[in-house]
Amino acid sequence: MLTDIWTVMRKELQEAFNLGDRVGKFGLLFMMFSFGILLPWQMGRSWVESPITLVYWSWVPLFLVNAVVADSFAGERERHTLETLLASRLPDQAILFGKLLAALAYGVGLTWASLLVGLVTINLFHGEGRLLFYPPAVALGVIGISLLSGGLAAGAGVLVSLRAKSVQQATQVLSIAIMALIFIPTFGLQALPAAWQERLWNIVSGWNVTQAVLVAIAVLAVLNSVLIGAAMRRFQRARLIAD
């Protein structure tokens, strides 16, 4: 099973990193420059000391995974290669998890590469002879939340791509979902009565960073499990061929 999953992963990663990848080389370079050089240079030591950086590292993998996962099944359908893939000896779970893990590895791998470049930038421009690194709780959050955030995008993306008739349709649905995920909580909190906002702020401000990170990881892990379970139920060879 692991060999079959790796076979699918390798094929998907090769397609994602070829010259025609969906993000485009300019987009990848811009992302690496922004989160690896520009923002760390501008924010200084707060880039590694402030928990607010967790917000950045939860967003980045969402967009990167979304850029490739929409093609996972919708692209095969457009290229008329889905039937060939489904007729292969590969087990259902190998196809599903191979595509899901490839999108996750692509998005999270580039996110962590930007993270490392950012650490180099911080130490070069703001280190002043000392090695700067994330506090343990923030480091745990950056790694865990970025991984699970990417998993959330991969799970949702595979589920959408299984149903979408085209890559464009899948990309649009996922883009709208990401925008809603970011903006609805922001504007929703602002719409709450002032007393509710104050009460919620008092609860959250009483948490330490470790507690907040563990809660976020737990919530994301549950959401990942739900989406992956839904994708496993949706992935049925006969239905996909009929579609």
Side-chain angles (χ1 to χ4, degrees):
M1 175 66 75
L2 293 178
T3 302
D4 291 332
I5 291 175
W6 171 243
T7 299
V8 178
M9 278 188 66
R10 185 173 57 186
K11 166 186 170 294
E12 294 294 312
L13 287 171
Q14 287 173 347
E15 291 181 358
F17 281 107
N18 66 16
L19 293 176
D21 65 273
R22 270 66 64 187
V23 178
K25 293 197 172 194
F26 177 78
L28 290 178
L29 290 174
F30 178 77
M31 186 277 299
M32 294 283 287
F33 173 77
S34 299
F35 289 92
I37 298 175
L38 183 61
L39 286 173
W41 175 64
Q42 289 181 334
M43 293 183 65
R45 294 189 178 189
S46 61
W47 184 252
V48 295
E49 295 172 352
S50 174
I52 196 65
T53 56
L54 292 171
V55 176
Y56 293 109
W57 297 119
S58 65
W59 287 350
V60 174
L62 285 175
F63 292 101
L64 289 174
V65 171
N66 178 49
V68 297
V69 75
D71 185 77
S72 57
F73 288 99
E76 299 272 9
R77 188 176 286 113
E78 276 190 351
R79 295 187 294 270
H80 305 290
T81 56
L82 183 60
E83 293 82 358
T84 303
L85 177 64
L86 296 176
S88 69
R89 65 167 185 81
L90 293 168
D92 290 4
Q93 290 187 348
I95 296 173
L96 177 63
F97 283 100
K99 287 179 172 291
L100 190 152
L101 291 174
L104 179 63
Y106 177 88
V108 175
L110 289 174
T111 298
W112 289 353
S114 301
L115 173 66
L116 292 176
V117 173
L119 286 173
V120 173
T121 300
I122 283 292
N123 281 278
L124 285 177
F125 289 97
H126 303 285
E128 298 179 357
R130 295 190 302 116
L131 179 63
L132 299 178
F133 194 72
Y134 294 101
V138 177
L140 171 66
V142 168
I143 294 172
I145 291 175
S146 63
L147 179 62
L148 290 170
S149 177
L152 191 68
V158 166
L159 189 59
V160 170
S161 190
L162 281 168
R163 295 176 175 270
K165 299 298 183 183
S166 66
V167 176
Q168 181 179 9
Q169 181 186 20
T171 302
Q172 289 174 345
V173 171
L174 290 171
S175 298
I176 292 172
I178 290 175
M179 291 298 103
L181 185 65
I182 293 173
F183 290 110
I184 288 179
T186 302
F187 291 106
L189 289 174
Q190 294 177 354
L192 291 174
W196 289 21
Q197 292 185 32
E198 182 179 359
R199 185 180 304 173
L200 183 61
W201 172 252
N202 290 335
I203 293 173
V204 173
S205 61
W207 293 356
N208 59 39
V209 177
T210 303
Q211 288 176 319
V213 165
L214 291 176
V215 169
I217 288 176
V219 171
L220 287 172
V222 171
L223 292 175
N224 271 259
S225 299
V226 171
L227 287 174
I228 292 172
M232 291 176 66
R233 288 193 297 272
R234 168 61 183 167
F235 187 89
Q236 298 178 15
R237 268 182 154 92
R239 181 185 296 180
L240 287 174
I241 293 174
D243 291 341

